[in-house]
């Protein structure tokens, strides 16, 4: 909850698209630089706290960014398509992740699953960065 509130305040200051990009970037860092290389409980807790704090913005900022990009009149239709795509991603990615864990992690080593997760977060961060630059190439613009 604290992450969503603070992210909302940051979005008011620097723009929701910029904030969403930063949140995805921080979430990705938590996955690839804290969770992946360390196997003890302390880093796992730190990664979970950072990831949870940063990734909460996806829920709260996606509708705002969508409304800014496509207009309020089209918001319901576009959000419906976005949330449907979330469903497809969950239906496809969850079994693939489980298969990776079974085949390469032997049910106990989560490294292949962490890499899989990090790859998708990296792709999402990259694509959001491309969208950000397509909207305005001025890095300091409030978008």
């Amino acid at each position: 909850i604290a992450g969503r509130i603070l992210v909302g305040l940051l979005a008011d200051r620097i723009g929701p698209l910029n904030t969403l990009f930063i949140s995805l970037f921080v979430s990705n860092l938590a996955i690839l630089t804290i969770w992946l290389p360390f196997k003890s409980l302390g880093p796992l807790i730190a990664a979970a706290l950072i990831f949870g704090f940063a990734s909460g913005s996806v829920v709260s900022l996606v509708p705002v960014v969508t409304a800014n990009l496509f207009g309020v009149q089209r918001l319901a239709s576009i959000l419906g398509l976005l949330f449907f795509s979330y469903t497809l991603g969950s239906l496809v990615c969850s079994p693939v992740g489980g298969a990776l864990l079974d085949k390469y992690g032997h049910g106990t080593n989560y490294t292949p699953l962490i890499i899989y997760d990090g790859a998708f977060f990296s792709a999402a961060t990259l694509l959001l960065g491309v969208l950000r630059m397509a909207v305005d190439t001025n890095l300091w613009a409030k978008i």
Side-chain angles (χ1 to χ4, degrees), residues 10-133:
L10 183 62
D12 287 341
R13 190 162 176 82
I14 67 170
L17 186 57
N18 293 332
T19 305
L20 185 58
F21 178 80
I22 291 168
S23 296
L24 278 178
F25 185 77
V26 170
S27 296
N28 199 24
L29 282 179
I31 293 168
L32 294 176
T33 63
I34 301 173
W35 190 20
L36 179 62
F38 299 104
K39 304 300 179 211
S40 61
L41 186 60
L44 176 63
I45 291 171
L49 288 172
I50 293 168
F51 181 84
F53 186 85
S55 67
S57 68
V58 172
V59 174
S60 58
L61 287 179
V62 166
V64 177
V65 170
T66 305
N68 286 349
L69 292 176
F70 298 102
V72 176
Q73 293 76 17
R74 298 172 55 192
L75 182 62
S77 302
I78 306 261
L79 278 180
L81 288 171
L82 281 173
F83 291 144
F84 179 70
S85 72
Y86 290 176
T87 304
L88 292 177
S90 296
L91 285 172
V92 172
C93 291
S94 296
V96 171
L100 283 172
L101 181 61
D102 288 343
K103 183 168 175 110
Y104 299 107
H106 309 292
T108 58
N109 180 5
Y110 288 86
T111 301
L113 196 56
I114 297 168
I115 293 170
Y116 178 69
D117 189 32
F120 274 100
F121 260 89
S122 295
T125 305
L126 178 67
L127 290 173
L128 192 66
V130 169
L131 174 65
R132 164 61 182 88
M133 294 309 289

